[in-house]
Amino acid sequence: MAKNTHTLTDIQLRQWKKQGAPVAKSDGDGLTFTLSNAGTASWTLRYYQNKKRRELTLGNYPDITLSDARRLASAHRAAIDGGADPAQEKASRKQKESTPEWSIKRLAEDYRVKRLTPASFAASTLYYRNADLNNVIIPKLGSRPVPDVTGQEIVQMLRDADNTWTISKRVLTTASKLFDHAAGLHIIAINPCAGVSLTSLLGPRPPIKKRVMLSEDDLRTLLATIDTLGTENGLALRILLATCVRTNELVTAQWKNIDLENGSWFVPNELTKTRTGFLVPLTPPVVAWFRRLHELAGNSPYVLPARVTRKLGQPITTRTLWAAITRAFDTGRLKITKFTPHDTRSTAKGHMRNLGISEFDTERALSHAIGGVSGIYDVREEIPEKRLALQKWADFLLTLTPTI
């Protein structure tokens, strides 16, 4: 540190202040008295840090006297000699104070607008991401400043939610994506979810439920009693079976994407799991089921409009069919192998293979992404092999029931 060589006096300061002429006078060791054209007198400490010239405003005179300024300058110079950069630290504090605090609730709102969009995720993914935010993450952490959230709080959140292993995994994934968004905004440097282990918290992951393939007898019984699930539910389940689409793709379907005259249904990008739209060939029985649903839908743009008054103008949810099937099993109306709506796809896959349809064409029928060169160069929307496979599968279903 340079030798202390103070040059200013209180008398000089008062005279300069009274005269009002602009001045800039050094007291030594970087401490400078400045009087502006506007008559504002202030103290500035000038110094070098990492070979860069810095200036730190200490305050105004006479609020800060000469002796006060010297004491402040001395303390700052000691910190500077120790590697501190008080001007940079002051600027950082001012920026932090001027920036609205990012709470988890505010972060979630920003995340929804910028990341949770139909262009980025399927409707089912959006539904569950929002459900995790609304039901678990925001109620538990909503008021917490984002930078203050720790891994321990994430663990406690998962414990308090008391969900199954699978649901806890989903919530943890949603939380991790949320904090990835915070890192992208430079609010945090490290994602607090990074070190959280569900295996440590809940033990090993339970065995993944095996998909169900309904037997011919199961299908025969189901098709004979399917309308006991409700007219719309019965028609929807028939269509799920015959078209091999995912439940969400059907329950969110709109009439504008269905061409019954030409037997085709286009599932747009935003409604698909892969974010790539595809054409579903409609066989004559499926066209007939859609026509019956069209009569029941009235003026709704949706194939399966909501049946609850407060949700008019929306489609049914993915749980509607699941709930109808569950009730049928619980009341004894269905006495076959237990299944879920998604099991219609594994059922179709198995029976189509038994019917001699190739693995490649069954994958097309299920609208799975085709890998390799075929997936790159075969860009057809109308695929005759897919239509033939679904026609053969629909014909088989008709052999199991006397009516469509």
Side-chain angles (χ1 to χ4, degrees), residues 19 60 62 90 93 96 121 124 147 157 250 308 325 375-376:
Q19 292 168 359
N60 292 338
K90 182 178 180 180
R93 284 195 303 273
K96 185 175 181 181
F121 296 101
S124 58
M157 176 187 74
L250 176 59
V308 180
I325 294 169
I376 296 172

Side-chain angles (χ1 to χ4, degrees), residues 98-144:
S98 65
T99 302
E101 184 179 80
W102 280 91
S103 67
I104 292 296
K105 184 176 181 180
R106 182 185 173 209
L107 177 66
E109 291 169 355
D110 193 72
Y111 175 61
R112 290 188 217 259
V113 171
K114 295 177 180 175
R115 305 295 293 275
L116 288 185
T117 64
S120 301
F121 296 101
S124 58
T125 302
L126 294 176
Y127 174 84
Y128 287 115
R129 287 278 182 270
N130 281 300
D132 294 339
L133 290 170
N134 294 335
N135 300 330
V136 181
I137 298 171
I138 292 176
K140 186 67 178 179
L141 302 174
S143 62
R144 296 281 288 131

Side-chain angles (χ1 to χ4, degrees), residues 29-321:
D29 294 344
L31 178 62
T32 302
F33 174 83
T34 303
L35 186 64
S36 71
N37 286 320
T40 301
S42 61
W43 296 103
T44 302
L45 179 63
R46 293 168 179 166
Y47 64 96
Y48 282 87
Q49 189 64 281
N50 297 324
K51 298 182 179 179
K52 293 182 179 180
R53 189 171 185 268
R54 303 285 197 187
E55 286 192 359
L56 175 67
T57 301
L58 301 179
N60 292 338
Y61 172 86
D63 296 335
I64 295 179
T65 65
L66 176 59
S67 58
D68 289 338
R70 286 170 176 168
R71 280 194 296 272
L72 285 171
S74 178
H76 282 303
R77 280 193 292 263
I80 292 165
D81 289 344
D85 189 345
Q88 181 61 43
E89 292 167 4
K90 182 178 180 180
S92 297
R93 284 195 303 273
K94 288 182 68 175
Q95 182 179 10
K96 185 175 181 181
E97 289 168 0
S98 65
T99 302
E101 184 179 80
W102 280 91
S103 67
I104 292 296
K105 184 176 181 180
R106 182 185 173 209
L107 177 66
E109 291 169 355
D110 193 72
Y111 175 61
R112 290 188 217 259
V113 171
K114 295 177 180 175
R115 305 295 293 275
L116 288 185
T117 64
S120 301
F121 296 101
S124 58
T125 302
L126 294 176
Y127 174 84
Y128 287 115
R129 287 278 182 270
N130 281 300
D132 294 339
L133 290 170
N134 294 335
N135 300 330
V136 181
I137 298 171
I138 292 176
K140 186 67 178 179
L141 302 174
S143 62
R144 296 281 288 131
V146 174
D148 294 349
V149 176
T150 65
Q152 289 90 336
E153 287 179 283
I154 299 297
V155 168
Q156 192 59 50
M157 176 187 74
L158 294 172
R159 283 193 175 125
D160 291 345
D162 195 26
N163 286 316
T164 63
W165 205 101
T166 302
I167 299 300
S168 296
K169 173 66 174 176
R170 193 191 74 203
V171 172
L172 178 58
T173 299
T174 299
S176 184
K177 296 292 185 184
L178 178 66
F179 284 103
D180 281 346
H181 183 59
L185 292 169
H186 289 236
I187 300 171
I188 57 174
I190 299 174
N191 189 325
C193 299
V196 177
S197 167
L198 275 187
T199 301
S200 299
L201 182 61
L202 301 176
R205 178 173 185 160
I208 297 175
K209 180 180 178 291
K210 185 179 179 181
R211 294 257 65 93
V212 170
M213 174 184 169
L214 296 177
S215 67
E216 288 189 31
D217 287 341
D218 285 334
L219 287 172
R220 189 174 288 106
T221 300
L222 173 63
L223 292 170
T225 59
I226 201 166
D227 288 327
T228 63
L229 301 176
T231 303
E232 291 97 332
N233 292 335
L235 291 167
L237 191 52
R238 286 184 178 96
I239 293 171
L240 272 186
L241 268 171
T243 60
C244 307
V245 298
R246 298 172 181 86
T247 309
N248 179 69
E249 293 161 357
L250 176 59
V251 301
T252 56
Q254 297 190 46
W255 291 113
K256 66 181 181 181
N257 295 318
I258 298 174
D259 182 354
L260 296 180
E261 294 302 319
N262 293 303
S264 64
W265 163 25
F266 185 75
V267 181
N269 297 353
E270 63 270 18
L271 299 182
T272 69
K273 183 178 180 180
T274 61
R275 319 312 297 146
T276 302
F278 56 86
L279 195 72
V280 182
L282 302 182
T283 59
V286 175
V287 169
W289 297 329
F290 267 118
R291 289 193 188 281
R292 290 167 63 184
L293 281 176
H294 197 273
E295 294 171 1
L296 296 168
N299 295 324
S300 174
Y302 293 101
V303 172
L304 294 166
R307 302 155 200 168
V308 180
T309 303
R310 60 185 169 82
K311 292 187 177 181
L312 290 180
Q314 302 176 41
I316 64 173
T317 71
T318 54
R319 293 182 61 83
T320 302
L321 277 178

